[in-house]
Amino acid sequence: MTHGEIIGTVAALRSSFDAGTTKPLAWRMRQLRALRALLIENGTELEQALSRDLGKNPTESQLAEIGFVVGEIDYALKRLRKWLRPRPVQVPGSLMPARASVVREPLGVVLIIAPWNYPVQLLLAPLVGALGGGNAVALKPSENAPATSAALARLVPRYLDQRAIAVVEGAVSETTELLAQRFDHIFYTGNSRVARLVMAASIKNLTPVTLELGGKSPVYVDDSVDLAVAARRIAWAKFMNAGQTCVAPDYVLATPEVARALEPHLVAAVREFYGDNPAKSPDYARIVNDAQFARLTGLLGDGRTVLGGAPDPSTRYFAPTILADIPRESTIMLQEIFGPVLPIVTVSGVQDAIQLIREGDKPLALYVFTERDAVRRRFLTETSSGAVGVDVSAAHLAVAGLPFGGVGGSGFGAYHGERSLEVFSHEKAVLSKPLKPDTLRLIYPPYTERKDHFIRGLLRKLR
Ligand code: NAD
């Protein structure tokens, strides 16, 4: 799209919203059902696109992308009517008779900007909330997943109401032009450098933003757990999509003894999932592009290689890699890894681990593998993160009732389930008071001694 076409597209969305196209509950339900049909009827095409972009296995594409969004749609379709009902709120006696309620209204025209790592899920899961909320939507898929971007740009207009939902493909120049337009909400998922540009652009129109970012999600393991189970749960979340997952365990913290004991279990888990040569496994993904591949290769070099290494740039195959004895100041500990390299850093115990975590940005997720209640409690109360997984990693995403989002450096605002609707709605306060009897006269000036006495008494009652 040219810049002129982008301006025209957003203007057309605005006209459709202003005309009331998106407001009726029936329209919202129809769009959600159409989105569901898009995903079901074109599952194979989307699986193929994801395979071309990332080498994703079709089963994994269903689990974490296509089926995931269908789950969000079904959850919303069942509850949308109820979520949109005005919610009555108690009125203080001093204001009676009156009725108060909270009414959810659409925000207007919203922009959803998605990254490449889960290019279906991260574009369409927010869309569920935006449509449920009755908004017109501009969708910006990632140029770094070009096959998926092209498939969605072709399919979305075929299934959804083109007057109110538009896909704008492109890279920096197109996104910059989009960000120059007026939106009523911007929902951005991606890295924190671009997040700053998004937020800077939002200042012009005081547009609220949701920022779903990444960061280093730590894992702490102690000796009270079954290490084989813990290793499987860590390795699954880490090496799924070749580590290109925002909630993937970034690094492991353990005492030297636990670290040593954990190593063979992690190796065994990788072999169980992907065989002796993961390059041949149909279940193991590839690194998205050469730039990411070079960045990841640059993170190697420190510590002892327990498994993996020897990346192959010609196929962008980056073996599942486990590194031990990693010094805390090594390059790999200074940035989000976002690839299939799992460093193990030794700590003296819980206190040391908590301190190390607290020295960094607040993570998107924190995982603690322990059977000790006291240790769980310490991590829960002494660290801050978007989410905590106790004896489990990454699966919290699948609980629609849990907010999904970051805190501090990992972003702000959360979605999934009803929260997606909250993100894309304004909660309007409505108070309605009958004209008769005109009880408000009791508080109007002039403030005579009698009225002063009455008002002070009223305020005391309200306290
Ligand atoms: P990306 O390169 O696809 O960029 C994301 C979006 O920003 C794209 O649509 C792109 O077109 C746009 N963009 C890029 N440069 C821009 C610019 N200069 N101006 C305006 N727009 C621009 O994806 P990425 O940022 O590499 O994604 C990976 C990051 O996202 C990681 O840090 C990861 O942790 C994070 N992430 C977070 C979540 C979450 O839900 N919290 C999910 C997935 C990924």
Side-chain angles (χ1 to χ4, degrees):
M1 267 192 200
T2 63
H3 287 195
E5 284 167 343
I6 291 174
I7 295 169
T9 300
V10 178
L13 295 176
R14 174 75 57 197
S15 304
S16 300
F17 178 76
D18 289 345
T21 309
T22 62
K23 280 199 182 142
L25 176 64
W27 183 89
R28 305 182 195 195
M29 303 279 274
R30 236 184 357 260
Q31 298 311 306
L32 288 174
R33 284 194 204 100
L35 182 60
R36 189 180 197 285
L38 181 160
L39 291 162
I40 301 288
E41 290 166 20
N42 302 280
T44 310
E45 179 178 344
L46 291 171
E47 286 167 16
Q48 283 163 354
L50 289 162
S51 166
R52 273 205 297 287
D53 286 333
L54 289 145
K56 275 196 208 217
N57 174 280
T59 310
E60 200 169 288
S61 291
Q62 283 297 336
L63 186 72
E65 302 248 29
I66 304 160
F68 181 90
V69 182
V70 172
E72 280 279 315
I73 295 171
D74 288 344
Y75 190 85
L77 276 172
K78 263 193 222 130
R79 297 166 176 82
L80 189 58
R81 189 179 296 276
K82 186 173 137 231
W83 290 343
L84 290 174
R85 265 188 221 132
R87 270 174 296 137
V89 169
Q90 202 184 343
V91 177
S94 54
L95 266 180
M96 289 299 240
R99 274 201 320 271
S101 61
V102 179
V103 176
R104 283 180 167 153
E105 67 173 18
L107 293 175
V109 184
V110 302
L111 171 62
I112 298 173
I113 304 176
W116 49 265
N117 61 330
Y118 287 83
V120 172
Q121 185 204 137
L122 298 171
L123 191 73
L124 301 186
L127 178 62
V128 176
L131 293 175
N135 299 281
V137 194
L139 291 167
K140 166 60 188 66
S142 173
E143 70 280 16
N144 292 320
T148 311
S149 174
L152 290 171
R154 204 176 55 74
L155 293 170
V156 166
R158 259 184 45 202
Y159 282 80
L160 303 186
D161 186 343
Q162 292 190 46
R163 295 170 301 169
I165 301 118
V167 179
V168 177
E169 285 194 271
V172 176
S173 142
E174 289 81 0
T175 320
T176 307
E177 186 57 52
L178 267 174
L179 287 170
Q181 310 307 306
R182 181 164 75 83
F183 287 98
D184 299 293
H185 194 94
I186 302 173
F187 189 102
Y188 167 82
T189 306
N191 68 69
S192 56
R193 182 186 61 81
V194 175
R196 286 175 169 80
L197 301 176
V198 170
M199 204 157 169
S202 75
I203 288 173
K204 196 173 109 200
N205 293 306
L206 291 180
T207 306
V209 293
T210 301
L211 299 180
E212 300 284 342
L213 314 179
K216 291 183 86 62
S217 298
V219 187
Y220 178 76
V221 186
D222 78 10
D223 62 2
S224 64
V225 290
D226 180 330
L227 288 177
V229 179
R232 274 196 295 274
R233 293 186 180 190
I234 295 167
W236 170 71
K238 177 69 189 187
F239 298 112
M240 171 173 40
N241 203 28
Q244 302 164 111
T245 301
C246 56
V247 292
D250 190 273
Y251 60 96
V252 172
L253 297 173
T255 60
E257 303 74 44
V258 174
R260 276 278 178 192
L262 182 65
E263 283 174 21
H265 290 293
L266 285 169
V267 172
V270 172
R271 296 227 161 98
E272 182 184 326
F273 299 160
Y274 306 111
D276 286 337
N277 181 7
K280 295 236 163 70
S281 165
D283 303 328
Y284 189 67
R286 294 297 179 266
I287 302 305
V288 70
N289 58 32
D290 294 338
Q292 287 292 333
F293 197 91
R295 182 186 64 79
L296 283 168
T297 310
L299 296 181
L300 301 178
D302 287 329
R304 171 169 54 84
T305 303
V306 177
L307 183 74
D312 173 11
S314 66
T315 57
R316 292 203 302 276
Y317 166 72
F318 203 114
T321 300
I322 297 167
L323 304 174
D325 308 331
I326 289 289
R328 297 176 186 203
E329 62 284 357
S330 67
T331 325
I332 202 164
M333 289 303 288
L334 300 178
Q335 58 174 278
E336 179 185 11
I337 297 168
F338 216 54
V341 188
L342 183 65
I344 305 175
V345 176
T346 55
V347 288
S348 57
V350 180
Q351 178 61 35
D352 194 17
I354 288 176
Q355 203 171 320
L356 191 149
I357 293 165
R358 289 176 59 144
E359 278 164 14
D361 272 341
K362 292 181 179 178
L364 185 58
L366 181 149
Y367 306 116
V368 49
F369 287 83
T370 180
E371 299 275 22
R372 296 188 175 95
D373 278 343
V375 174
R376 291 174 176 176
R377 248 196 322 276
R378 285 202 64 182
F379 276 95
L380 278 169
T381 55
E382 295 176 36
T383 66
S384 176
S385 54
V388 173
V390 178
D391 294 342
V392 64
S393 30
H396 57 282
L397 256 92
V399 183
L402 283 177
F404 178 60
V407 56
S410 49
F412 55 81
Y415 70 124
H416 285 182
E418 188 173 2
R419 279 182 188 80
S420 298
L421 186 79
E422 269 168 36
V423 168
F424 291 104
S425 303
H426 165 57
E427 306 235 308
K428 186 153 71 179
V430 180
L431 177 69
S432 135
K433 183 164 170 58
L435 290 164
K436 281 184 198 163
D438 190 8
T439 50
L440 288 177
R441 284 187 68 189
L442 298 169
I443 59 163
Y444 295 153
Y447 297 122
T448 57
E449 208 174 308
R450 238 182 94 210
K451 274 197 186 166
D452 178 81
H453 188 71
F454 171 76
I455 288 170
R456 283 172 201 274
L458 199 67
L459 292 172
R460 267 197 301 276
K461 259 196 238 158
L462 287 178
R463 267 179 226 138

